[in-house]
Amino acid sequence: QVQLVESGGGLVQAGGSLRLSCAASGRTFSNSTMGWFRQAPGKERGFVAAITWSGGSTRYADSVKGRFTISRDNAKNTVYLQMNSLKPEDTAVYYCAVDRMGYRLGSNPGNFGSWGQGTQVTVSS
């Protein structure tokens, strides 16, 4: 069974930083694009960032550009999301996901076939 396990969420003051991690199955992680999505209460799940299998290409939502950085360590089967200058609007459950098309930087949740259970990020004013 493929598994994705997120960690690193928590409570942080506005302007602070958090780093999220997602540990993935080796077979699923290989040759795959990894993405981060988030969902706030009452809202649809939205795209945050994605990175290709090689790590050579990344994509970010406009709302997080310049503040968030996605990276991956294929040897550790792990993808990261470094979040700086956090805002209250960033408060959400953050999910990592896998798109097995490793050269595609998809922003549509439908492109991602495997999902973690999410980790809560709360940014106070």
Side-chain angles (χ1 to χ4, degrees):
Q1 183 178 1
V2 61
Q3 288 184 300
L4 300 172
V5 182
E6 300 101 332
S7 62
L11 175 64
V12 65
Q13 189 175 0
S17 298
L18 287 172
R19 189 177 79 156
L20 306 183
S21 299
C22 176
S25 165
R27 296 190 200 91
T28 303
F29 195 83
S30 298
N31 303 311
S32 67
T33 287
M34 300 295 298
W36 286 97
F37 293 77
R38 64 188 182 186
Q39 187 168 25
K43 295 185 178 181
E44 295 183 347
R45 190 169 300 184
F47 173 77
V48 176
I51 185 168
T52 56
W53 174 74
S54 68
S57 296
T58 58
R59 181 178 181 179
Y60 298 92
D62 288 342
S63 59
V64 306
K65 284 182 179 178
R67 300 188 298 120
F68 291 10
T69 302
I70 188 171
S71 61
R72 68 193 296 165
D73 186 338
N74 289 347
K76 296 182 178 180
N77 296 328
T78 301
V79 63
Y80 305 95
L81 185 68
Q82 178 67 45
M83 305 186 294
N84 298 326
S85 301
L86 283 163
K87 304 175 181 179
E89 306 92 87
D90 297 318
T91 296
V93 177
Y94 283 70
Y95 301 87
C96 65
V98 176
D99 177 2
R100 72 176 187 173
M101 182 60 67
Y103 295 97
R104 178 172 64 187
L105 286 173
S107 60
N108 189 330
N111 293 335
F112 294 80
S114 299
W115 296 80
Q117 290 187 300
T119 184
Q120 175 71 234
V121 172
T122 303
V123 184
S124 62
S125 301

